[in-house]
Amino acid sequence: MILVIGGTGTVGAALLPRLAAHPAPVTALVRTRPAHPVPGVRYLVGDAGEPNALRTALTGAEQVFLAMGNGPRQRELELAVVDASARAGVHHLVKLSAPATDTVAVARLHRDVEHAVVAARIDHTFLRPYAFHQNLLRLAPMIAHTGMFTGTTGDHPLNMVDARDIADVATVALTTTSTRGQSLVLTGPEALSYPQVADLLTSLGRPTRYVDLPPERLRHDLDRMGQPSWLVDHILEIQNLTRTHRETPTTAVRAVTGHEPRGLADFLREHLPAFTSQGAARPGGERPITTT
Ligand SMILES: NC(=O)c1ccc[n+]([C@@H]2O[C@H](COP(=O)([O-])OP(=O)(O)OC[C@H]3O[C@@H](n4cnc5c(N)ncnc54)[C@H](OP(=O)(O)O)[C@@H]3O)[C@@H](O)[C@H]2O)c1
């Protein structure tokens, strides 16, 4: 059995239907049963922070996929999953992680959890994606209503990757042994700067401008929007990293899945209504606004 933790998240929701097409039974530990459950997936309602729920979910699990949302309890929750997985005799853990860097707190957290997996002697595949294409949907209301978005990365290129490609890689990792022991840095086909993202939207018919801000100004704006302080710090750390370390694409998605990673232009075309006033939600909706 494959246990999926984070099956309602951006990557997990794309992973479940892919896994359901394979013969191995799939269980998803969810805090709330989804409105549209994936046929063939067994849903267990429980919190990964509750030892009993975790133990029950892990009973009979040979492999675990772990995608934990960012937040103040992430380290504690992920370490508890690793510990319980080791006790339950899990053979292989596929962890949604992040590219290695010491200057980003969330990346340090992921590194600590990766070390715990290795120390627990659980076979592993660590998926280290850059920012998801899907993150741009959180900026869509702002772009739809103002025709602009802001950041601090200037002309520096950013690696981005489609969450569906991460799910494709995770599917291979969970249904074959080909990725065991690997740490895979996942990107799309090209690194694009924010001005290039704005140009892409403009060329698709949604005129868009990128406005570069000093970091203190972006921090001020995000604080004013009511974003939690850990998230504001994270956005600024990630964007600072982009300015200081050049990002270049990897070939990992193709090497693992056999197909090219999805490009950003296709993603934006697919989701264009969200970036235009007709299809837009109100800016500053309930989801945190972040480009990371
Ligand atoms: N977004 C990016 O650009 C990016 C880039 C690199 C790495 N990452 C890493 O990717 C991970 C997030 O992946 P994602 O974007 O797919 O996740 P997501 O959309 O934020 O969803 C997080 C998932 O975690 C689940 N969860 C949170 N707390 C839980 C708990 N106590 N018990 C059980 N489930 C719990 C959520 O369930 P509920 O539905 O119940 O909330 C949800 O399914 C993070 O660790 C992040 O650092 C993200």
Side-chain angles (χ1 to χ4, degrees):
M1 185 265 280
I2 300 169
L3 174 64
V4 172
I5 300 176
T8 57
T10 312
V11 175
L15 175 64
L16 286 177
R18 286 163 167 77
L19 286 182
H22 287 265
V26 179
T27 297
L29 177 65
V30 292
R31 292 189 292 183
T32 310
R33 194 177 293 277
H36 303 288
V38 175
V41 172
R42 180 176 74 116
Y43 287 88
L44 273 183
V45 176
D47 191 309
E50 293 192 357
N52 282 342
L54 204 47
R55 234 187 337 265
T56 304
L58 282 162
T59 303
E62 283 142 10
Q63 302 192 77
V64 169
F65 174 79
L66 173 58
M68 188 57 73
N70 293 139
R73 291 187 66 210
Q74 185 176 3
R75 180 190 306 268
E76 171 201 340
L77 291 169
E78 292 208 27
L79 290 175
V81 170
V82 174
D83 185 52
S85 298
R87 287 173 199 275
V90 166
H91 301 316
H92 179 219
L93 192 148
V94 178
K95 176 180 152 44
L96 188 52
S97 191
T101 168
D102 285 338
T103 57
V104 175
V106 169
R108 291 198 297 274
L109 171 163
H110 281 303
R111 208 65 349 92
D112 291 350
V113 178
E114 289 184 2
H115 288 154
V117 174
V118 173
R121 298 182 182 280
I122 305 172
D123 208 353
H124 65 266
T125 304
F126 297 141
L127 308 181
R128 297 176 173 175
Y130 276 84
F132 306 167
H133 288 167
Q134 283 73 7
N135 293 358
L136 291 173
L137 294 175
R138 299 176 193 168
L139 292 175
M142 182 195 283
I143 293 171
H145 287 265
T146 65
M148 56 164 269
F149 65 101
T150 60
T152 67
T153 54
D155 289 332
H156 295 273
L158 292 92
N159 278 327
M160 283 181 255
V161 59
D162 196 299
R164 292 167 293 188
D165 287 323
I166 305 170
D168 286 340
V169 172
T171 302
V172 173
L174 291 162
T175 56
T176 74
T177 54
S178 62
T179 66
R180 303 272 171 111
Q182 293 188 35
S183 300
L184 298 161
V185 177
L186 304 177
T187 73
E190 58 185 342
L192 295 170
S193 68
Y194 282 150
Q196 288 174 309
V197 173
D199 287 348
L200 273 180
L201 279 167
T202 302
S203 71
L204 290 169
R206 196 322 160 211
T208 305
R209 218 160 39 91
Y210 167 68
V211 178
D212 202 53
L213 299 176
E216 316 75 57
R217 174 61 200 275
L218 183 64
R219 178 181 291 282
H220 172 265
D221 289 354
L222 292 168
D223 282 342
R224 222 180 30 155
M225 284 176 196
Q227 301 297 328
S229 61
W230 66 264
L231 181 59
V232 175
D233 288 344
H234 181 58
I235 293 168
L236 285 154
E237 283 173 356
I238 290 278
Q239 298 204 6
N240 176 58
L241 188 69
T242 300
R243 288 195 306 275
T244 53
H245 290 76
R246 189 175 174 80
E247 296 180 13
T248 49
T250 70
T251 54
V253 168
R254 178 161 28 92
V256 173
T257 66
H259 69 68
E260 293 298 329
R262 293 162 174 85
L264 185 64
D266 286 342
F267 177 85
L268 294 176
R269 192 175 296 111
E270 187 182 346
H271 294 280
L272 197 57
F275 295 90
T276 64
S277 48
Q278 288 96 343
R282 281 168 52 78
E286 68 284 356
R287 296 215 63 175
I289 292 182
T290 164
T291 52
T292 64

